Amino acid sequence: MSSVTDHEHFMKLALQLARRGMGWVSPNPLVGAVIVKNNVVIGRGYHERFGGHHAEINALQQAGSEAYGATMYVTLEPCCHYGKTPPCTDAIITSGITRIFVGMVDPNPAVSGRGIQKLRMAGITVETGLLEEQCRLLNEAFIKYITRNVPFVTLKAGLTLDGNIATVTGDSKWITCEHSRRYVHKIRSEVDAVMVGIGTVLADNPRLTARLSEKSVKNPLRVIVDEKLRIPLSSKVLQTKLAQGTLLATSPALAQSRKARQIQATGAQIFSVPLKRGLIDLKALIKKLGAMGIASLLIEGGSELNASALAAEIVDKIMFFYAPKIIGGRKAIHVVGGKGIRKIAKAITLSNMTIKRIGSDFLVTGYVQPRT
């Protein structure tokens, strides 16, 4: 008889498999599945590409007829509805699987609990909640997107120990080490979109691509917040190979302007977004991105965009890469600009903090607590 430790081991294998789909399955969830018989793994699968077979189907295909009488471990409740593919519950029932461990119930209203109910009605033993916290963390972006129709937003910054992202002259290359920069490129390859402000484009002229050594790398949609449409047509993000994956968020007054038409001629998109106090309404913008199917957004903005995003309360997660450097300067550029908070009692607070060493830097990660 399998022990609790065995069950956790097999679910951890399923979680490892699920992570392989990062960057390729959105806005679908990351899912991994393992089929076990006599304490031996006979089938493994994960959701590899959006529109492709789900994890359970890939695992069942590998197990074949041996799946009869076996146990399945799956990180997310199997679907019971027709989407891009047929219901996984039907294939599981037909296979003869007799027991299933489900990491977490699917938050998708079209599935939530129904898949489990269907499996139980077919006589399959279903146990839920195995390593649920890890399963939920894996799909934190999907959970928010499928329940609220807006992307999960991560604010990333590379900064010195004294909290600056650039010197008094605006110089910022390179604050963080090569290991951190490579890590950020990996994150870019895993999210649906990257957002920067026009100030970053004017100062750095970035590509905002995922530059990794792997042969197959997915680049995110590039979102530029530019209410006055100041972007130069010569910018790298508007050149032939990148323009079709670039979106400019600008004011309604400029969305139909001659400059907007010139930008669209490059292949880039123009989003008309309402202004709030003279700036792009970021809440309105992420609603538009959610309607496009963008489930995860990485903000790599400058000081002012960071401040605006936090003030708009759209940020879910913070990732600050601290370099062992101090630059000082009253007029150095701080990681968060804006007017600032006047009372400590009103400060933005984080929970579930973690610290990770990356090269010579430290990555501090935390989740933004809702304001009361």
Side-chain angles (χ1 to χ4, degrees):
M1 184 174 181
S2 297
S3 67
V4 172
T5 302
D6 290 332
H7 295 320
E8 290 184 353
H9 168 71
F10 294 131
M11 186 61 82
K12 285 178 180 177
L13 287 179
L15 283 162
Q16 290 172 11
L17 287 166
R19 291 187 184 98
R20 295 184 186 179
M22 279 191 164
W24 298 106
V25 304
S26 184
N28 281 353
L30 295 160
V31 185
V34 172
I35 299 174
V36 177
K37 197 170 189 178
N38 299 323
N39 228 31
V40 176
V41 175
I42 60 172
R44 305 168 189 251
Y46 68 99
H47 188 24
E48 299 175 16
R49 291 288 190 279
F50 177 75
H53 288 314
H54 288 186
E56 301 94 320
I57 303 304
N58 287 328
L60 286 169
Q61 287 180 347
Q62 189 177 104
S65 60
E66 287 297 306
Y68 189 86
T71 297
M72 175 180 282
Y73 297 81
V74 61
T75 57
L76 184 72
E77 176 183 4
C79 65
C80 58
H81 67 297
Y82 280 88
K84 292 284 184 182
T85 59
C88 289
T89 50
D90 292 358
I92 292 169
I93 293 167
T94 302
S95 74
I97 291 282
T98 56
R99 190 181 188 189
I100 298 181
F101 286 86
V102 174
M104 62 173 283
V105 175
D106 194 335
N108 184 350
V111 179
S112 191
R114 295 182 180 89
I116 292 170
Q117 182 182 23
K118 187 173 183 179
L119 293 168
R120 284 174 173 161
M121 288 179 67
I124 298 173
T125 300
V126 182
E127 299 188 38
T128 62
L130 181 62
L131 299 186
E132 181 175 1
E133 185 176 345
Q134 293 180 40
C135 292
R136 294 185 69 84
L137 184 63
L138 175 72
N139 273 308
E140 58 188 8
F142 172 73
I143 292 169
K144 182 182 179 185
Y145 171 76
I146 204 66
T147 57
R148 296 174 54 185
N149 299 314
V150 292
F152 182 90
V153 179
T154 300
L155 192 156
K156 164 262 165 186
L159 59 159
T160 59
L161 285 179
D162 52 343
N164 295 315
I165 60 173
T167 67
V168 293
T169 64
D171 182 38
S172 62
K173 292 185 178 179
W174 294 104
I175 286 178
T176 54
C177 69
E178 184 179 348
H179 292 87
S180 291
R181 298 197 296 274
R182 192 181 307 124
Y183 194 93
V184 170
H185 283 285
K186 183 175 183 296
I187 296 170
R188 285 183 186 173
S189 74
E190 296 172 349
V191 298
D192 296 336
V194 171
M195 178 189 291
V196 299
I198 185 59
T200 297
V201 175
L202 295 175
D204 301 333
N205 195 18
R207 291 185 179 88
L208 300 176
T209 54
R211 296 185 291 282
L212 298 168
S213 58
E214 287 84 346
K215 292 181 180 179
S216 180
V217 176
K218 180 190 73 66
N219 282 318
L221 174 73
R222 291 165 288 281
V223 181
I224 316 297
V225 178
D226 187 6
E227 58 271 358
K228 295 181 180 178
L229 222 52
R230 293 188 291 153
I231 189 168
L233 294 175
S234 59
S235 299
K236 290 176 181 176
V237 291
L238 295 182
Q239 300 314 298
T240 306
K241 291 184 179 180
L242 299 182
Q244 291 187 348
T246 298
L247 186 154
L248 273 291
T250 194
S251 65
L254 293 174
Q256 302 297 325
S257 65
R258 180 173 178 271
K259 179 72 173 287
R261 291 193 295 272
Q262 290 175 323
I263 292 169
Q264 288 172 316
T266 69
Q269 300 179 65
I270 292 286
F271 255 21
S272 174
V273 183
L275 299 184
K276 192 172 184 179
R277 300 186 188 92
L279 300 174
I280 292 293
D281 184 338
L282 295 180
K283 279 190 175 180
L285 176 54
I286 67 164
K287 284 182 181 178
K288 281 178 170 280
L289 293 174
M292 287 178 61
I294 300 298
S296 56
L297 173 68
L298 178 68
I299 295 180
E300 294 194 64
S303 179
E304 295 306 313
L305 181 59
N306 292 347
S308 296
L310 288 167
E313 299 183 22
I314 65 167
V315 178
D316 300 290
K317 184 177 180 180
I318 298 287
M319 298 183 76
F320 282 2
F321 292 80
Y322 281 92
K325 299 173 184 177
I326 297 173
I327 59 176
R330 293 187 184 89
K331 295 185 179 180
I333 302 175
H334 303 304
V335 64
V336 179
K339 294 182 178 179
I341 292 170
R342 300 177 69 88
K343 297 284 187 179
I344 290 294
K346 298 292 184 181
I348 295 165
T349 58
L350 306 179
S351 63
N352 299 326
M353 300 286 291
T354 61
I355 299 176
K356 179 179 181 179
R357 182 76 177 263
I358 299 183
S360 59
D361 302 335
F362 285 95
L363 168 59
V364 177
T365 302
Y367 292 82
V368 177
Q369 290 284 83
R371 295 188 186 179
T372 55

